[in-house]
Amino acid sequence: MANIYAVYGAANKGKTTTLGMIRKNLKEKYPSFTERIRYEEDWGDFSVILDNINGKKIGIESEGETENLVESLKYFISEKCDIIFCASRTRGFSMNCIKSYENGNDVEYIKKEYCDDEKKQKSVNEKQAKDIISFAEL
């Protein structure tokens, strides 16, 4: 059983950026980690497993609109990740994909916070990344 934290929101609201900050913060907090990169795109999307994060295996998928989400969730479950962080749109394909994992896993839906001021958005993303890590008890 995995704890799945789905960060959901509309396009271009900072989901990938926030998940990237979660990845960075966990790597800094737990320097003895190992990282297995499933893929990493030039434009920012990525899929990784972080091992030895407070004794847990963490899967992170930043792309919530394509088949990459489907494949990453299958992979993370098969690799017995304890915690999975992923992105999702507010409805449709990605939300349905995540909902299909509700039986047998604990799924939490976290609405992506954002503001209209681009200068303040970085701070919003950073705070939300830290809040999500805390919520996941890491």
Side-chain angles (χ1 to χ4, degrees):
M1 179 176 79
N3 292 316
I4 301 173
Y5 298 92
V7 179
Y8 72 92
N12 301 313
K13 297 300 180 189
K15 297 179 299 293
T16 293
T17 302
T18 300
L19 289 164
M21 290 175 174
I22 289 171
R23 177 186 183 189
K24 178 182 174 281
N25 289 345
L26 289 174
K27 288 164 63 171
E28 289 173 355
K29 187 174 180 179
Y30 300 101
S32 63
F33 75 93
T34 57
E35 181 175 57
R36 290 185 276 157
I37 298 173
R38 193 169 160 269
Y39 74 84
E40 193 157 24
E41 303 291 354
D42 292 339
W43 57 84
D45 282 315
F46 64 92
S47 178
V48 298
I49 289 180
L50 301 175
D51 285 303
N52 201 24
I53 300 293
N54 197 25
K56 297 185 184 310
K57 188 181 293 187
I58 312 295
I60 307 174
E61 168 58 62
S62 71
E63 193 168 359
E65 298 86 34
T66 69
E67 286 295 318
N68 283 334
L69 175 64
V70 174
E71 295 305 317
S72 287
L73 288 175
K74 283 182 196 174
Y75 178 68
F76 296 156
I77 295 294
S78 73
E79 289 292 313
K80 299 184 178 10
C81 287
D82 301 294
I83 296 173
I84 299 169
F85 298 106
C86 64
S88 174
R89 291 287 176 90
T90 56
R91 61 186 179 276
F93 172 80
S94 56
M95 190 60 78
N96 291 337
C97 175
I98 295 164
K99 284 179 186 276
S100 74
Y101 285 89
E102 288 178 350
N103 287 334
N105 298 289
D106 289 329
V107 180
E108 295 283 343
Y109 297 94
I110 301 168
K111 185 173 179 162
K112 178 64 191 93
E113 298 171 2
Y114 60 92
C115 65
D116 292 329
D117 184 339
E118 285 184 39
K119 293 177 182 176
K120 292 180 181 176
Q121 187 60 50
K122 183 178 180 188
S123 295
V124 170
N125 292 342
E126 288 173 349
K127 180 183 181 312
Q128 190 166 29
K130 289 178 182 174
D131 289 347
I132 292 168
I133 289 170
S134 178
F135 184 64
E137 299 179 351
L138 293 172

